[in-house]
Amino acid sequence: CEAVVGSTAMSYGSINAPLIGADFLAYTFFSCLQSGMPAGEALRQARLGLAQEMNTRQGYLDGEDQKTLLSFVLYGDPLLQVVPGTSGRKGITRWGSEPPIEINTICDRACQLATESALSQDAQDSIRQVVAKYLPNMQDATMTVSDERAACSAGHNCPNHQLSGKSPANPNRRLVTLVKTFRRPDRSETHIARLTLDQEGKVVKLVVSR
């Protein structure tokens, strides 16, 4: 193998259209490869494409978006071309100037993570039913709740705090995370679902561990 692209941590993807997180990054990466771009440039364009798309959809990058951009790396030959140029030589593609992307970020981590008590019992039941459609046996998963916010405190370490990131407005959304570890004969598997709720409690984004 001449080049490998993978995540250094758990990655998240969508359960249906539109593509989110690692799924969006992978699709864009392979599309760029098929167009003739070298592997390194294809990954760079995939990162830029994800940042642009999520800024357009949400107005900022949330925790899953930031993790996806940071965790995927390339090992091997960055000039590898799946579709070689007509000259047969490896090509190098660079931007003549900085790409026109203004990246806004938010923080969805909390120094004191709230529990499911922050939600009504009906809301908890509804969330577990939604997740069970895609990840079976998650009805008794551990649930935690945190708020998305533009300003990040210094109580923990996250990209938003490190880079002094901010979004143009308070997102006013809530993140619910369900985690459960399954014991197999030869290993343990941890399944994670992360749901973003709007101000009315409606699920506007759902990602699951890959």
Side-chain angles (χ1 to χ4, degrees), residues 10 12 64 108-109 113-116 119 127-128 131 138 141-146 174-180 190-197 206-207:
M10 181 177 288
Y12 298 93
E64 289 88 26
D108 56 22
R109 296 179 63 182
L113 197 62
T115 64
E116 62 268 23
L119 298 172
I127 288 172
R128 292 185 187 278
V131 173
M138 290 284 284
T142 301
M143 180 184 294
T144 54
V145 183
S146 61
R174 176 166 284 183
L175 175 68
V176 180
T177 304
L178 278 74
V179 181
K180 183 177 180 179
T190 299
H191 293 181
I192 300 177
R194 290 164 63 92
L195 302 90
T196 304
L197 313 180
L206 168 60
V207 298

Side-chain angles (χ1 to χ4, degrees), residues 29-49:
F29 171 75
F30 284 112
S31 296
C32 291
L33 273 185
Q34 292 298 323
S35 72
M37 288 185 187
E41 181 63 18
L43 180 57
R44 192 172 78 95
Q45 291 297 325
R47 287 198 183 105
L48 290 170

Side-chain angles (χ1 to χ4, degrees), residues 100-156:
I101 297 178
E102 180 181 352
I103 298 178
N104 299 307
T105 60
I106 57 94
C107 179
D108 56 22
R109 296 179 63 182
C111 299
Q112 296 180 341
L113 197 62
T115 64
E116 62 268 23
S117 61
L119 298 172
S120 67
Q121 189 60 52
D122 288 343
Q124 294 178 47
D125 294 341
S126 177
I127 288 172
R128 292 185 187 278
Q129 290 174 9
V130 170
V131 173
K133 295 179 182 178
Y134 309 102
L135 293 178
N137 303 317
M138 290 284 284
Q139 290 84 349
D140 57 344
T142 301
M143 180 184 294
T144 54
V145 183
S146 61
D147 294 320
E148 289 187 346
R149 57 196 178 280
C152 178
S153 67
H156 60 252

Side-chain angles (χ1 to χ4, degrees), residues 9 38 79 91 99 145 148 151 167 173 186 191 199 209:
L79 299 182
V145 183
E148 289 187 346
S167 66
R173 302 196 311 182
D186 57 339
H191 293 181
Q199 289 178 294
S209 57

